[in-house]
Every structure is written in C-alpha cells, then in structure tokens.
Amino acid sequence: MKFWRSVVGKLWMTILFLVIVVLSILTILLLEFMENYHIKDAEQKLTQLANKAAIIMENHQNTPLAGSIATELSDKLTSVYIVDGGKTYWQKQNDGAGVAQYSLNEIISEKELSKVLEDQEKISLVKSFPQTNDHNKFNNEMMIVGVPYQSGAIFVVQSLSAINETTKQTTKYIFMAAFIAIILTTVFAFFLSTRITYPLRKMREVAIEVANGKFDTKVPKLTSDEIGELAVAFNQMGRQVKFHINALRQEKEQLSNILSSMADGVITLNIDGTILVTNPPAERFLQAWYYENGMNPKKEHELPPAIEELFKRVTTTHREQVTEITLQGRTWGVIMSSLYNQNRVRGAVVVLRDITEERRLDKLRIDFIANVSHELRTPIAMLQGYSEALRDDIAGSEKERKEIVQVIYDESLRMGRLVNDLLDLARMEAGHISLNIQDVKLKPFIEKIIRKFQGIAKEKQIHLEYLLNVQMDSFSFDPDRIEQVLTNLIDNAIRHTSAQGFVKVIISESNGLKIDVQDSGSGISEEDLPFVFERFYKGDKARTRGRAGTGLGLAIAKNIVDAHKGVIQVHSKLNVGTTFTVLLPQTS
C-alpha cells in the first residue's frame, strides 16, 4: 500500500496541511501588521518632524537660520525641503544609504504633493522613485510628508529601506519558526498517528486472518480508550462469527448428508429456472435426460420440458404441482413446490421419485389377474362343455364317454396344478417358505431326477445326460425344493428342444455348488430374457397349450433359489440354445 493512502500518511498530511495553512495565515497577518505598524510609526515621526520645522520657520524672522535649525532636526535617513512663497529658501539632502537625492522641483511637480502649497493640506504618501547607486538601478520606496505653514510648506522625505529590512528579517525569522514548527509537527504527527494507528493496523491484520478463516486470532488490547474497546468488540465479533459459521457449516453438512442419502432426487431451482442444488438421484435423472437428447451434461443446464412447464405453473399459481415423466425406460414421479423469501417466491424445489417398480408392480397385478383369468378360463370352459355333453348323453358309445371323462379329469388336474402353483408362489413371496436343509448325496440326487425324465426324453428323441464335476460327495440344501427347481428347468428344456437335440445337467464347484441346465432348443429372444422369471411371463405369445405352461415355474424356482441365498441366471441365443445356472452358497 502506498504511504499517502495509509492512515499514517493521511493523518500526517492532514495535520501538516492544517499547520501550514495556519502558519501561512498567521505569517501573512503578522507581516501585514508589522509593515503597517512601522509605516504608521514612520509617518507619525515624520509628521512630528515636519510640524517642528514648521513651528521653527514660523517663529523665526531669520529664515535661513530657521531653515538651518529645522534641517538639523533630521537624521541621516531623512531629507528636508523648505519652500517659502514658491521659492526655495532651504533644503538639506542627506547622503545616507538608501536616501533619495531629488530636487525640490521634482517633488513639487508631483500632483499629490502640490496640494500642500495650493490647498494648505497635510499630505503623507509612500512612493517609489528610481535611484542609481554604484551602477545598480532599483526602485527606492520613500515616505513623503508635507506640512504647510503660513508662507510655505515643509516636505520631509525618508527612505523605507530600514522598515523593509526589518520586515525581511522578521519574515526570515517567521519562516524559520514555521520550518521548525513543520518539523516538530511532522515528528508529532508521525508519533501520534503511529500510536493511534498501531492498534488499527493490528486489527487490520487480524481482520485479514479472520477473513481467511482463522477465527481464533485475537486483537491485543493495547489501550483503554475507544480503540481498546473496539479491539474487545472485534474479538467478541470474531467469536460470534466463528460460532455462527460453525453452526452454518454443521447445518450445511447435515443438509448435504440428508440430500446425498435420500433415495428421492431433489433439485433446487432459482427464480429464473437455473439449477442451484442437486443430489445424486437427481443427477442420474438429469444425466439420463441429457443422454436421451444428445446433450453435453458438463455444459448444459436445461430442464426437461415437462419440469420446465411445471416450474412455470408453480411460479404462476404458487401451488404444488405433480406429474410423471418416463425417461430411458424408467418412470419418475415429480412433485414441485415454491420456495419463499418471506412473501416473495424465490424459486422452487423439485422432488423426483423413481416409481418404476411401483408401476411395474401395478402392471404385474393387472397382468396377474388377466393371466389367472386366461389360464382358468380354458379348463373351466372345457369342463363346462364336456360336463354338458355327459349330461345331454351326447357320447354315443362307452369309448366316447371315457374320452370325455378323461378330458374332464386332465383339465381338473391342470386347474389343481395352477392353483397349487399360485399358492406356493404366494407363500414364497410372503416369506412363508420353510426349508428343510440337510446334507444331500449329489450323485444319487441327480440320478433320481434324470431317471424321472428319461422316458419323455427318449420319446422325443432327445439326449439327456448329466456331468458331475465335483470333488465333494454331498452338499447342504433342501432336496425337495431344489428337485422342484431342477424338475422345472429340465421340463422346460425338454419341451423347447426339438428331436435329435440334447439336454445336459452339469454340476460343478464355484464358491459353493453350481448347477447348469443346458439345452440345444429354440432359445429365448433378447427382449424376453429380462422377464423370464416374472409370473405368467411366456416367450410363446400365442399361449398354446402344447408347449406353454402356466408361466409360474421359473418364478417359483427363483423364489426357492433366493430362499437358499443363491442366484439363478439365464443365458440364451435364438436357435442355439439356453443355459440356466443355479449358484448355491456353502452353508456353515
């Protein structure tokens, strides 16, 4: 910082300026006073001298003698000129330094001085006359006093060089005193300003430290005056600022943690619609919006049109607005409310909730009712039709009657299986499934399941086999439930594999027990793969009775594997085959 911009510099310059102004005014007034005083004193003395000379000239008959006596009254700086009746009777010019040497005619020729002879008036004036001494030409300031008497006038001329010299000496001393006063003032100003500003400089240093976040820095109390009280107040202010900043920081961290841990997305908008604050779920929502519209997420700050329209309605109506947005296959519920600054709307807050699972569950509920109705409608219709045929004796022979009864029996069994599957699935999803975990010999267990399907496989000319690639002989799980899972998987594999195909059950170790059910069947399309474990989901959209089941088997299998804390996965290619993998963890 430059010196004259500092407090010390400003105080010093102010005090010095005031002192210089005061001294200048005092010097001017003092010089003016002294000059006027000396001039008036000289005028008074010259007037007295002229009056004495006039009295002498009036009281003596011998004019030359009177003139000689009158001139003797003058000193070496004074010249006396006596005029009587318009003629010069006596004049005395001294040769003192600075005395003008003029003739009487030069004096009388002055208009102001001629009034002494003409109007009998006393005249005194100061006039400058050119004078040449020792080749130096200068203006010599003279005082001339003219006093009339009965028959003439007396003029007394005195040089003011002595007064001017006295004035010069006085001015010199005054300036010397002013210089000393300025020096003393500078020292005093620096001392005073330094003493006053030192606590202020310390306070400034502490203020900079506090501005940089060092709130523990204190201002030392050096005095007991107002500056000392200011230091105490400043320290108290620093403590209060530290307290409030810590409170704000804690509140900000708490708010940030709350926003970050929220499952719902939160976006805070300014009154002009710009984004102020977002949390991770809201960031994911905006990233999906930018990606879908081919925008750069690092540069763009636009809102989806639906949210922008909602924001306009909120700022206009000042009421909460609700809508739903579908983005990248996910459904978001949007709730927007106004933010107020006292009575003025300063923005809005948007709460985003991912309701994809809720909508999916709603769809599953609707599909469940439709699927159950569809699955039950066919057997009920067949039972009703064939029972009416029996009642109306439409069967012409015993053989036809037995066929009708067999159809009724098969459909009733189908309805029973569907109802049992629904009950099992409902118990599993409600968490009421109970497992009978026991140590199971793997080879007999797998052979038992394979034997159950050998007849169907031979009938359809499908090669069914198993591979046991494990070192352990047994593994802990619920044999009935896992048999239900493998039965469902093998049955699906045989039903979707054409003649001369194969179905393999491979058992291996992979951080537990790994069971792969492979087939060379028709495969599952890519769009159907994410939904194969949903209830009533069928890849065969025609819902034919020949190949399609109830659509509950894989859902039940997944619930059984989940109950074992395992994982079931599927990999498939159309017209190549499908592999279902069951991973069961080792239980302690």
Side-chain angles (χ1 to χ4, degrees):
M1 180 183 293
K2 295 182 179 179
F3 174 75
W4 55 83
R5 291 184 180 180
S6 64
V7 177
V8 175
K10 290 179 180 178
L11 282 175
W12 174 73
M13 293 176 66
T14 302
I15 295 174
L16 192 60
F17 175 75
L18 290 175
V19 170
I20 290 175
V21 170
V22 171
L23 287 177
S24 299
I25 295 174
L26 182 62
T27 301
I28 293 172
L29 293 177
L30 186 60
L31 291 175
E32 187 69 21
F33 167 76
M34 293 184 66
E35 184 177 0
N36 293 333
Y37 173 78
H38 286 299
I39 290 175
K40 287 181 179 180
D41 183 65
E43 180 183 356
Q44 184 178 3
K45 290 179 179 180
L46 292 178
T47 303
Q48 291 177 355
L49 177 61
N51 288 330
K52 289 179 180 180
I55 292 172
I56 293 173
M57 294 299 295
E58 288 179 351
N59 295 331
H60 287 78
Q61 297 297 326
N62 189 350
T63 302
L65 178 61
S68 175
I69 294 172
T71 55
E72 291 299 327
L73 299 176
S74 64
D75 55 22
K76 62 180 181 179
L77 296 177
T78 306
S79 297
V80 179
Y81 300 88
I82 302 174
V83 179
D84 187 14
K87 297 180 180 180
T88 303
Y89 284 95
W90 190 266
Q91 63 179 8
K92 180 181 179 182
Q93 294 180 345
N94 292 323
D95 296 331
V99 179
Q101 303 296 327
Y102 300 115
S103 65
L104 182 61
N105 292 330
E106 291 176 342
I107 295 178
I108 296 175
S109 63
E110 293 292 332
K111 183 178 180 180
E112 294 85 354
L113 298 178
S114 64
K115 293 180 180 180
V116 178
L117 295 172
E118 296 174 357
D119 301 332
Q120 294 294 303
E121 294 180 1
K122 291 184 179 180
I123 297 297
S124 63
L125 57 87
V126 177
K127 199 168 184 66
S128 297
F129 294 95
Q131 176 70 20
T132 304
N133 286 328
D134 299 331
H135 307 288
N136 292 324
K137 189 176 182 179
F138 57 92
N139 288 330
N140 191 11
E141 197 171 35
M142 299 292 178
M143 172 169 281
I144 303 174
V145 175
V147 176
Y149 66 96
Q150 291 178 354
S151 59
I154 297 175
F155 296 94
V156 181
V157 179
Q158 187 180 61
S159 174
L160 297 180
S161 59
I163 297 176
N164 292 335
E165 186 65 25
T166 302
T167 303
K168 289 181 181 179
Q169 292 297 324
T170 304
T171 304
K172 177 181 178 181
Y173 290 132
I174 290 175
F175 279 116
M176 185 179 299
F179 177 74
I180 295 173
I182 290 174
I183 297 297
L184 293 177
T185 301
T186 301
V187 175
F188 171 75
F190 270 108
F191 172 76
L192 179 62
S193 59
T194 302
R195 186 168 181 81
I196 293 176
T197 59
Y198 177 74
L200 298 178
R201 292 199 305 271
K202 294 297 294 183
M203 203 171 299
R204 171 182 171 273
E205 294 174 0
V206 173
I208 294 175
E209 295 291 330
V210 171
N212 292 329
K214 299 178 180 179
F215 300 105
D216 294 328
T217 310
K218 302 297 180 184
V219 178
K221 184 181 178 182
L222 302 176
T223 59
S224 299
D225 54 7
E226 291 84 352
I227 296 180
E229 294 177 358
L230 179 61
V232 174
F234 189 91
N235 292 335
Q236 185 177 2
M237 181 192 69
R239 290 192 296 270
Q240 290 294 323
V241 169
K242 180 180 179 181
F243 173 78
H244 290 299
I245 286 181
N246 288 335
L248 288 174
R249 183 183 295 112
Q250 292 175 2
E251 185 176 351
K252 181 179 179 181
E253 291 176 354
Q254 182 179 5
L255 179 60
S256 177
N257 292 333
I258 291 174
L259 287 176
S260 299
S261 60
M262 285 179 63
D264 295 339
V266 177
I267 302 176
T268 303
L269 303 176
N270 202 353
I271 188 62
D272 57 357
T274 56
I275 299 174
L276 297 179
V277 179
T278 59
N279 66 340
E283 285 290 340
R284 290 195 294 270
F285 170 82
L286 293 175
Q287 295 288 334
W289 157 253
Y290 295 144
Y291 177 80
E292 187 172 87
N293 291 272
M295 301 166 67
N296 188 349
K298 294 183 179 179
K299 298 181 180 179
E300 304 292 343
H301 299 282
E302 295 183 12
L303 292 171
I307 295 184
E308 192 170 352
E309 181 64 28
L310 210 64
F311 176 73
K312 293 179 180 178
R313 292 206 299 269
V314 166
T315 54
T316 302
T317 63
H318 299 176
R319 294 182 178 179
E320 183 179 88
Q321 301 292 328
V322 181
T323 189
E324 290 186 8
I325 298 176
T326 301
L327 191 64
Q328 291 287 299
R330 305 197 70 81
T331 303
W332 297 81
V334 182
I335 304 174
M336 186 179 295
S337 302
S338 301
L339 291 176
Y340 291 92
N341 184 6
Q342 294 181 352
N343 295 327
R344 183 176 60 87
V345 176
R346 65 177 179 86
V349 59
V350 185
V351 178
L352 304 165
R353 176 167 295 177
D354 189 351
I355 58 174
T356 305
E357 186 65 20
E358 297 177 13
R359 293 295 174 262
R360 187 184 69 85
L361 293 176
D362 290 341
K363 184 176 183 301
L364 286 177
R365 178 178 56 81
I366 296 171
D367 291 346
F368 176 78
I369 296 173
N371 289 328
V372 170
S373 301
H374 177 81
E375 294 294 337
L376 291 176
R377 182 176 58 186
T378 301
I380 289 175
M382 295 185 69
L383 288 174
Q384 183 180 357
Y386 281 105
S387 61
E388 288 177 356
L390 287 177
R391 186 191 61 182
D392 297 337
D393 294 328
I394 294 178
S397 64
E398 184 66 20
K399 181 179 179 181
E400 291 178 354
R401 189 185 65 80
K402 288 183 178 181
E403 289 179 356
I404 292 174
V405 172
Q406 185 64 40
V407 171
I408 293 174
Y409 178 73
D410 292 339
E411 293 301 325
S412 65
L413 291 178
R414 182 184 176 191
M415 288 180 62
R417 288 195 302 272
L418 176 61
V419 171
N420 290 332
D421 288 344
L422 287 172
L423 291 175
D424 289 343
L425 185 60
R427 285 195 299 269
M428 292 177 185
E429 292 183 345
H432 297 157
I433 183 173
S434 59
L435 299 178
N436 182 21
I437 304 296
Q438 54 184 285
D439 200 22
V440 180
K441 298 293 185 180
L442 294 177
K443 186 173 182 181
F445 175 75
I446 294 299
E447 288 179 346
K448 172 186 173 183
I449 297 174
I450 295 298
R451 282 197 302 268
K452 186 165 55 174
F453 289 97
Q454 284 292 354
I456 300 174
K458 289 180 180 179
E459 182 181 346
K460 296 190 64 174
Q461 298 181 3
I462 296 173
H463 180 64
L464 176 63
E465 62 176 343
Y466 76 93
L467 298 176
L468 195 62
N469 299 327
V470 293
Q471 298 291 332
M472 51 187 170
D473 295 331
S474 60
F475 196 82
S476 296
F477 54 80
D478 187 333
D480 293 333
R481 294 296 186 180
I482 297 301
E483 181 179 351
Q484 185 179 358
V485 171
L486 295 179
T487 298
N488 184 277
L489 295 178
I490 296 172
D491 180 65
N492 285 343
I494 292 175
R495 284 193 293 111
H496 291 85
T497 302
S498 57
Q500 307 305 320
F502 68 87
V503 175
K504 293 181 181 180
V505 180
I506 303 174
I507 301 175
S508 58
E509 296 182 32
S510 178
N511 294 326
L513 188 65
K514 179 181 178 183
I515 304 174
D516 292 321
V517 179
Q518 299 179 355
D519 65 65
S520 59
S522 58
I524 304 172
S525 63
E526 185 176 350
E527 59 270 17
D528 290 331
L529 277 176
F531 308 101
V532 294
F533 296 108
E534 301 291 344
R535 293 175 297 179
F536 293 107
Y537 191 86
K538 300 179 183 180
D540 185 2
K541 301 300 187 294
R543 298 183 182 270
T544 59
R545 294 182 60 199
R547 296 178 60 186
T550 62
L552 297 174
L554 290 178
I556 293 173
K558 185 177 185 305
N559 277 277
I560 293 173
V561 175
D562 290 342
H564 282 80
K565 302 186 184 304
V567 178
I568 183 170
Q569 300 172 342
V570 59
H571 300 281
S572 181
K573 287 185 179 180
L574 283 176
N575 302 320
V576 174
T578 303
T579 300
F580 281 89
T581 301
V582 177
L583 297 172
L584 299 177
Q586 182 74 49
T587 58
S588 57

